[in-house]
Amino acid sequence: MTPWPALFSRLPQLVEKLEAIAHPLLTVEVDGEAVARLVRPSRAELEAHARRAGMPTLTPEGWLREALGRVRDYYPEPREQVALYAGSQPVAVLRRRGVVGHAA
């Protein structure tokens, strides 16, 4: 089983950690290689975006789900692990084999 389902099941906890760290840069690593660097919008930025006519309303969890979903589409079968970092601080490291993973 890939680490993606475990990562998606922890979205509320991941958002809490990301907001506590308060670093806007989110790095996604797959098998030890940085495959995406994303600028994570704040709650206020997401709310302001939603106020514009025709724009979608996204929660931080929804934004993270969409962002990670796009990365998963490119890397659906990691050999070893998927890791998330806010700046240089680890947020989650989920391994493919053995224990599903842990939040850093």
Side-chain angles (χ1 to χ4, degrees):
M1 179 180 217
T2 72
W4 293 113
L7 190 65
F8 281 90
S9 71
R10 298 177 181 174
L11 286 177
Q13 295 89 352
L14 295 174
V15 168
E16 277 184 31
K17 281 188 163 193
L18 288 168
E19 289 179 342
I21 295 170
H23 195 288
L25 183 62
L26 175 66
T27 301
V28 182
E29 287 187 0
V30 176
D31 296 332
E33 180 182 343
V35 296
R37 286 201 171 92
L38 310 164
V39 176
R40 186 179 55 83
S42 68
R43 283 184 189 270
E45 290 167 332
L46 289 171
E47 289 169 2
H49 186 261
R51 285 193 295 269
R52 299 193 67 109
M55 292 293 149
T57 302
L58 283 177
T59 62
E61 291 83 4
W63 180 87
L64 187 58
R65 181 179 297 110
E66 282 189 18
L68 292 177
R70 288 191 301 269
V71 175
R72 179 190 58 199
D73 291 345
Y74 285 99
Y75 301 93
E77 297 287 333
R79 291 183 310 274
E80 296 176 23
Q81 70 180 20
V82 174
L84 301 179
Y85 296 89
S88 62
Q89 296 185 39
V91 176
V93 177
L94 296 134
R95 290 181 175 77
R96 184 177 177 101
R97 294 180 300 204
V99 178
V100 173
H102 69 281

